[in-house]
Amino acid sequence: MPVLRFAPSPNGYLHLGHAYSALFTAFWARRLGGAFLLRLEDIDLARRKPEFVAAIYDDLRWLGLDWPEPVMVQSERFAAYEAAADRLRDRGLLYDCDCTRQEIAARATGADPDGAPLYDGKCRLHGPAGGRPTQARLDLGRALELTGPLSFTVCAPTPLDRPQIRYARPELWGDVVLQRKDTPTSYHLAVVVDDAAQAVTHVTRGRDMEPSTDIHVLLQMLLGLPQPLYTFHRLILGADGRKLSKSRGSPSLRDLRAAGVSAESVRSELGF
Ligand code: GLU
């Protein structure tokens, strides 16, 4: 059975971009005769707030969406992420790194697809200095030696079933962090472990997430997990032509609702 999911992070209130992603995913779940699941991606414990969690449920119900319970909550699944990381570590694919952001930025000679400084591999070559908190990084060169070239299948958003093969370029990310200093996982590891645990068959996400999919297919291969199909949908842009974001003052769904906007008009403005 097709299984699709919407996986917001409760670090703020949902805005129109989230509404588009949720409605897009629910639309295709219904069209394919599959399930629409919700997952809370709350590994960032410092930014997660109970009122944001409550607002996610509330806003999605207001939009007319429904999902099966129980909802998967990432902060309850650290043991599963640790087990996956241990499997990589046992095969010599993870190493500890105690470099700070400042040190990494000072030595970097390039940037990853998100624009963050690329890690130069210092701790892979020389080990951590010791006495400082560590993060675990993937030894990307070694990982690629094991997997060889990787590809995945992308379906165009309309219609969802026009498949194209895409080659993955995880090397653009360098030795990514899979366990952060503050939690036993990172976004990349958690999303891959959970998509497999929820038997997700179609990952629907914004185009801005396209580059990180290259890391996800690499991790799926290393962990022996099934590879879903991928669809990258358009982003809802603000009047300034940039992606909506709370920090640039985009109104939340709650703000729109408080201003008297109906769920129906939000849905029709977004094309659903
Ligand atoms: N949790 C991520 C976010 O809120 C998206 C999840 C995904 O599609 O992998 O942006």
Side-chain angles (χ1 to χ4, degrees), residues 93-124:
L93 292 166
L94 277 198
Y95 65 90
D96 288 335
C97 162
D98 65 354
C99 295
T100 64
R101 263 176 219 278
Q102 291 81 349
E103 289 164 353
I104 294 164
R107 297 195 308 260
T109 52
D112 72 17
D114 278 348
L118 264 185
Y119 185 58
D120 65 353
K122 180 170 184 280
C123 290
R124 172 169 36 78

Side-chain angles (χ1 to χ4, degrees), residues 5 7-9 18 39 41 187 191 195 203-206 209 216:
R5 65 9 174 229
S9 297
H18 298 109
R39 180 167 78 224
E41 301 214 320
Y187 160 67
V191 83
D195 281 337
V203 171
T204 48
R205 52 165 68 133
M209 309 283 298
H216 302 168

Side-chain angles (χ1 to χ4, degrees), residues 212-239:
S212 53
T213 304
D214 292 0
I215 287 292
H216 302 168
V217 300
L218 172 64
L219 293 177
Q220 285 152 3
M221 183 62 94
L222 293 171
L223 292 166
L225 302 175
Q227 190 190 90
L229 297 170
Y230 287 91
T231 290
F232 304 106
H233 61 66
R234 72 182 177 97
L235 300 177
I236 303 300
L237 305 178

Side-chain angles (χ1 to χ4, degrees), residues 5-24:
R5 65 9 174 229
F6 175 58
S9 297
N11 302 337
Y13 292 116
L14 302 184
H15 53 58
L16 282 175
H18 298 109
Y20 183 83
S21 197
L23 290 167
F24 180 95

